[in-house]
Amino acid sequence: MKLKFLAAAAMAATMTSCATTESMSRMNTYKFPVHHVKMADDTYRVYDHKTDNSLMVAPSLGTTMAIGAAQGATFGLADTMTPEKRLEAAARQHLVNTGRGGCRITKGYLLQKPLYEFFFECPTVAPRV
């Protein structure tokens, strides 16, 4: 059991070592709990931002560990990342699941492998007169 934990910690450390200070700071602005969004290909982890209209999305922990192992085994040459479109689809599904289906994703970018950040806008409701 200890060996499995150490292996997981080593892979996580390998993946986070490529993060910039700015992206690490940004990741720390997301709140818990994690929301699990089941899609056809994987169960994604989605985090809501504390104050911004943004989401941080990652593949399942198993997929994340597999990506880290493949990257480590090939010295970073293997491109095993989950495509951005799949992560964006999970972000859209999370918005639907949380009653924000009318919102639309405006942009997204790689925050740190394999984490993506997506910004969204929601329609404003006109005040009733």
Side-chain angles (χ1 to χ4, degrees):
M1 186 65 162
K2 278 188 178 181
L3 185 58
K4 285 182 184 179
F5 175 75
L6 291 175
M11 278 190 260
T14 300
M15 293 184 77
T16 58
S17 65
C18 298
T20 64
T21 303
E22 183 180 321
S23 65
M24 289 296 288
S25 294
R26 181 69 183 163
M27 286 184 284
N28 287 330
T29 63
Y30 280 86
K31 64 182 178 182
F32 289 90
V34 62
H35 300 273
H36 297 278
V37 178
K38 184 146 181 66
M39 302 293 283
D41 62 319
D42 199 359
T43 299
Y44 293 86
R45 296 173 290 147
V46 180
Y47 303 85
D48 278 295
H49 194 272
K50 293 175 185 173
T51 57
D52 296 345
N53 280 347
S54 64
L55 303 168
M56 184 170 64
V57 183
S60 65
L61 191 55
T63 300
T64 300
M65 290 175 66
I67 290 169
Q71 291 277 313
T74 62
F75 302 105
L77 297 176
D79 184 15
T80 57
M81 279 287 297
T82 301
E84 181 178 354
K85 291 292 180 194
R86 290 185 186 169
L87 293 157
E88 184 176 340
R92 275 195 312 272
Q93 185 61 50
H94 174 69
L95 291 173
V96 169
N97 293 351
T98 56
R100 298 176 281 179
C103 301
R104 67 179 184 86
I105 294 177
T106 57
K107 66 180 177 177
Y109 68 96
L110 180 64
L111 190 58
Q112 174 211 330
K113 287 184 179 180
L115 300 169
Y116 269 81
E117 183 170 47
F118 295 98
F119 289 86
F120 61 92
E121 291 178 353
C122 298
T124 56
V125 177
R128 293 185 182 198
V129 181

